């Protein structure tokens, strides 16, 4: 067309580099930050629900733990569900709660009066500092019956009582260290794999206990 404005290709490249690309990158970054914040709220709520569930079942799991200890049955030393779950400490507190539970207790989340969504900014910042796993030692002890623990492959572990999804969108594992007949056992299950405890296959050699 006569009289039409013709923009040199070099100028188009410059406009894209200076204006369009930075604006698109800024929108992408903002979207990623919002998704991260949304995940933090979901995880904080899940951790809070898991803690409350453990508190409710506390007396029952203490009784179950005592019974299993008396019979030399299935006693959980440490259990973690999430990402980067390997090599936890060999011991835990009297109720099976690990350092992650202690950290959560020191930094509670979910103050319903703080904001409309129930979480204040400091709450979410503290929750974001927690590891990408949740301590489920007490939860597994509660689920134990007659020195056995079975979780089917069709059961979503994150939906079990005392569990949550501590790292949405990331592959998760269940790490378990337990006693059976006073011998230390250790095993890690991929998510979606059935759990059947105890097993002689999990028994550790004496030099690794």
């Amino acid at each position: 067309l006569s009289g039409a404005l013709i923009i040199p290709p070099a100028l188009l490249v410059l406009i894209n580099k200076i204006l369009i690309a930075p604006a698109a990158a800024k929108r992408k970054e903002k979207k990623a930050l919002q998704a991260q914040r949304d995940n933090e709220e979901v995880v904080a709520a899940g951790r809070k629900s898991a803690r409350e569930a453990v508190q409710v079942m506390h007396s029952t799991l203490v009784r179950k733990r005592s019974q299993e200890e008396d019979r030399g049955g299935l006693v959980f030393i440490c259990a973690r569900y999430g990402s980067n779950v390997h090599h936890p400490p060999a011991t835990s507190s009297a109720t099976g709660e690990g350092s992650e539970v202690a950290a959560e207790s020191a930094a509670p989340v979910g103050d319903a009066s703080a904001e409309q969504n129930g979480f204040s900014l400091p709450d979410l910042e503290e929750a974001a500092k927690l590891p990408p796993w949740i301590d489920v030692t007490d939860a597994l002890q509660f689920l134990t019956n007659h020195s056995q623990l079975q979780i089917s492959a069709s059961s979503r572990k994150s939906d079990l009582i005392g569990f949550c999804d501590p790292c949405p969108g990331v592959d998760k594992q269940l790490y378990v260290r337990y006693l059976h007949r006073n011998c230390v056992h250790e095993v890690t299950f991929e998510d979606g794999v059935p759990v059947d405890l105890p097993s002689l296959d999990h028994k550790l050699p004496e030099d690794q206990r």
Side-chain angles (χ1 to χ4, degrees), residues 6 10 35 55 80 85-86 89 91 104 108 125 137 151 162 189 191:
I6 299 177
Q55 291 170 358
R80 291 176 172 181
V85 295
H86 292 99
T91 59
E104 288 189 300
E125 289 176 344
T137 312
I151 303 173
F189 297 96
D191 214 13

Side-chain angles (χ1 to χ4, degrees), residues 63-64 72 76 81 120 141 143-144 147 162 166 185 200 208:
R63 174 177 53 80
K64 282 190 170 186
F76 290 94
Y81 176 68
S120 66
Q141 195 68 65
L143 294 171
T144 299
S147 299
H185 296 62
L200 286 175
Q208 295 183 23

Side-chain angles (χ1 to χ4, degrees), residues 4-183:
L5 179 62
I6 299 177
I7 302 177
L11 181 58
L12 288 174
V13 171
L14 186 62
I15 291 173
N16 180 71
K17 183 177 181 180
I18 296 176
L19 299 177
I20 299 176
K26 191 71 175 180
R27 287 194 300 270
K28 184 177 180 180
E29 180 183 2
K30 185 177 180 180
K31 185 176 180 180
L33 287 173
Q34 183 59 49
Q36 180 182 355
R37 176 49 55 87
D38 291 344
N39 272 347
E40 288 173 359
E41 292 184 5
V42 170
V43 171
R47 289 183 183 273
K48 180 175 181 286
S49 296
R51 287 199 309 275
E52 291 174 346
V54 169
Q55 291 170 358
V56 170
M57 64 189 181
H58 179 76
S59 60
T60 301
L61 72 89
V62 168
R63 174 177 53 80
K64 282 190 170 186
R65 179 182 295 276
S66 178
Q67 291 173 344
E68 293 296 330
E69 289 174 342
D70 290 343
R71 65 167 65 107
L74 185 58
V75 179
F76 290 94
I77 301 172
C78 182
R80 291 176 172 181
Y81 176 68
S83 179
N84 297 328
V85 295
H86 292 99
H87 308 302
T91 59
S92 59
S93 67
T95 60
E97 295 175 321
S99 58
E100 178 259 1
V101 173
E104 288 189 300
S105 298
V109 296
D111 181 359
S113 63
E115 292 183 354
Q116 184 177 0
N117 63 8
F119 298 97
S120 66
L121 182 58
D123 289 336
L124 293 175
E125 289 176 344
E126 290 299 329
K129 295 176 184 178
L130 293 172
W133 46 262
I134 182 172
D135 187 290
V136 293
T137 312
D138 283 347
L140 294 188
Q141 195 68 65
F142 178 81
L143 294 171
T144 299
N145 289 299
H146 306 295
S147 299
Q148 290 188 326
L149 173 69
Q150 294 181 328
I151 303 173
S152 68
S154 61
S155 297
R156 283 168 51 100
K157 293 183 179 68
S158 59
D159 291 338
L160 297 172
I161 186 169
F163 280 64
C164 73
D165 187 344
C167 49
V170 177
D171 291 338
K172 286 169 278 290
Q173 297 173 315
L174 174 63
Y175 168 91
V176 184
R177 188 178 181 92
Y178 65 94
L179 289 173
H180 184 248
R181 296 181 179 175
N182 299 317
C183 293

